[in-house]
Amino acid sequence: MTIPRRSWRGAGAFAAAAVVGLAGGVLSAGPAAAHTPTWAVTCSEVTLNLTAYSSKATNEVTVSVVGGDDLLATTQFGREFSTKTPLQLPKHDKELTVRLVVKAGDDDKYSFEGTKTAPVCEGEAETPAPTPTEETPSEAPSTEPPASETPEPSATPSETATEAAPAPAESSSSTPDLAETGSSSATPVIGGAALAVLLAGGGILWSVRKRRSVQH
């Protein structure tokens, strides 16, 4: 059986069109699957997974906190890059804005820049400021002049020792204490002697007067 040349030509044209269409589909799908930045942000950490970048170009990635420090300084990578250890966020009592910047070395249209919000972790919420307590006014300062310092006693003892007071005489234990009275045992003797002296004086005076009267 002989196949006409026109049929061969038609079949060849159809096959060529199919090949071109398939190749175009592959080429158009390739860029869509390439340069894929995937990242996640929690209240305490950031994870990255950058895949399908050009291994023939130098790519760069930077992660930072808006208004703060860099979590990941500018780092170069090839076909892919991922954080083996999550990037740790600083402790915060309010939401943080995290920025990711990826620069593709093969074409700037594949570069990426985006931001995500890191919420506040439980237990790190902003605590209210303590209520200030009223201060009790201190006592008014004393207007009295300070007392002069008391001189320290001399450590040197006095050269002259104080004479000890004489001890009171002890009463004899054998003689009983007698109560003091207005008279003593010699009072009758003294009275008798005085009476005798008076009588003798009276007798002498009487005899002298008698002699004078006789003489006259």
Side-chain angles (χ1 to χ4, degrees):
M1 180 178 179
T2 303
I3 300 176
R5 292 182 178 181
R6 292 181 179 178
S7 299
W8 282 106
R9 290 177 181 178
F14 178 78
V19 170
V20 171
L22 181 61
V26 171
L27 292 176
S28 61
H35 307 85
T36 306
T38 303
W39 64 309
V41 177
T42 66
C43 71
S44 61
E45 60 188 24
V46 179
T47 55
L48 295 176
N49 188 24
L50 311 178
T51 58
Y53 283 81
S54 175
S55 59
K56 297 179 181 180
T58 301
N59 308 298
E60 294 180 352
V61 57
T62 305
V63 182
S64 61
V65 175
V66 176
D69 299 331
D70 291 342
L71 300 178
L72 176 65
T74 302
T75 304
Q76 297 180 348
F77 67 99
R79 182 175 178 80
E80 60 184 20
F81 176 86
S82 61
T83 51
K84 296 180 180 179
T85 302
L87 305 175
Q88 298 299 315
L89 289 169
K91 292 184 177 181
H92 51 281
D93 54 8
K94 59 182 179 180
E95 294 182 346
L96 297 179
T97 301
V98 183
R99 175 182 291 141
L100 169 65
V101 178
V102 181
K103 292 185 178 180
D106 52 347
D107 196 334
D108 193 51
K109 68 180 181 180
Y110 299 128
S111 298
F112 173 83
E113 181 175 350
T115 59
K116 289 188 177 183
T117 300
V120 178
C121 296
E122 294 183 2
E124 295 184 3
E126 184 176 0
T127 56
T131 304
T133 57
E134 296 182 358
E135 297 183 357
T136 304
S138 59
E139 296 181 359
S142 176
T143 57
E144 297 180 0
S148 59
E149 296 182 358
T150 304
E152 296 182 358
S154 175
T156 306
S158 176
E159 294 181 357
T160 58
T162 304
E163 295 182 358
E170 296 181 359
S171 59
S172 176
S173 58
S174 60
T175 303
D177 295 337
L178 299 177
E180 293 183 357
T181 60
S183 60
S184 64
S185 58
T187 299
V189 177
I190 295 173
L195 182 60
V197 171
L198 290 175
L199 292 176
I204 293 171
L205 182 60
W206 179 79
S207 59
V208 170
R209 287 180 176 180
K210 187 176 181 182
R211 285 178 183 180
R212 288 180 178 177
S213 61
V214 174
Q215 291 178 0
H216 289 290

